[in-house]
Amino acid sequence: MASDRSAPPALALPVPGTPVRAVVTGEHPWGATARILGHEGVPASIDAAAMESPSGAPIALPEERPRVGEEVDAVVQQLRQWSGPGWVRLSTRAADLAGLRWRCDFCMAWTVLGPGGDGVVMEVRAAGGPEAHSVVAHRDCLLGALHPESLERARVPKVGRGG
């Protein structure tokens, strides 16, 4: 089976917890579609539940949502890349912009992705094709899953911390 090498590699895509700028390209009852600046070939969306609601509603009211053409600050919530260029789910909530909270795929407790957070994102890929999947984990959960003799145990605590 030939792989589609025209899709961008997962490492070129923004991972969960990454702050981005996006332009709203479409309004929908469930939220909005968007284009991430610097990653124009990757489709993105913002669910109404992931938009800031000044009224305090759990889901942003239609009048609170960004309009087509509006540029917004966002953070990557999820990345899916099963075929083609992938799909990115964004959040514009202020709390997520400060530090995205997401469930650890090992223990299911909340972890914080972003500066000062205790979470990391792993890209799971195979050599046979362009598909990729992001796994979110606490650093400690990942360390606990690695074999005690793995050289990667020394690297995990340093990822994203400049060391």
Side-chain angles (χ1 to χ4, degrees):
M1 173 183 213
S3 64
D4 176 13
R5 296 296 178 194
S6 64
L11 294 176
L13 299 174
V15 298
T18 304
V20 297
R21 292 285 294 166
V23 175
V24 174
T25 58
E27 297 175 40
H28 305 277
W30 50 264
T33 52
R35 174 177 46 86
I36 302 172
L37 300 178
H39 298 278
E40 279 74 8
V42 181
S45 62
I46 312 166
D47 292 346
M51 294 177 184
E52 193 67 33
S53 174
S55 68
I59 296 175
L61 303 173
E63 60 271 15
E64 297 174 324
R65 300 175 188 178
R67 301 289 173 231
V68 171
E70 188 174 338
E71 194 171 306
V72 297
D73 287 318
V75 64
V76 175
Q77 275 188 324
Q78 287 183 308
L79 168 64
R80 294 187 180 135
Q81 188 181 11
W82 295 106
S83 62
W87 190 272
V88 177
R89 290 183 63 195
L90 302 172
S91 172
T92 60
R93 290 186 300 239
D96 290 342
L97 291 170
L100 178 69
R101 292 184 58 208
W102 205 256
R103 292 210 183 263
C104 172
D105 287 314
F106 289 98
C107 72
M108 294 308 293
W110 292 105
T111 184
V112 177
L113 300 172
D118 59 349
V120 293
V121 179
M122 297 179 295
E123 292 298 324
V124 179
R125 299 180 57 78
E131 301 88 7
H133 180 71
S134 296
V135 174
V136 174
H138 290 103
R139 289 173 195 275
D140 288 343
C141 288
L142 178 56
L143 285 170
L146 293 171
H147 190 279
E149 295 178 21
S150 171
L151 295 176
E152 301 311 318
R153 291 181 59 82
R155 295 183 178 109
V156 169
K158 298 176 183 177
V159 171
R161 295 187 173 157

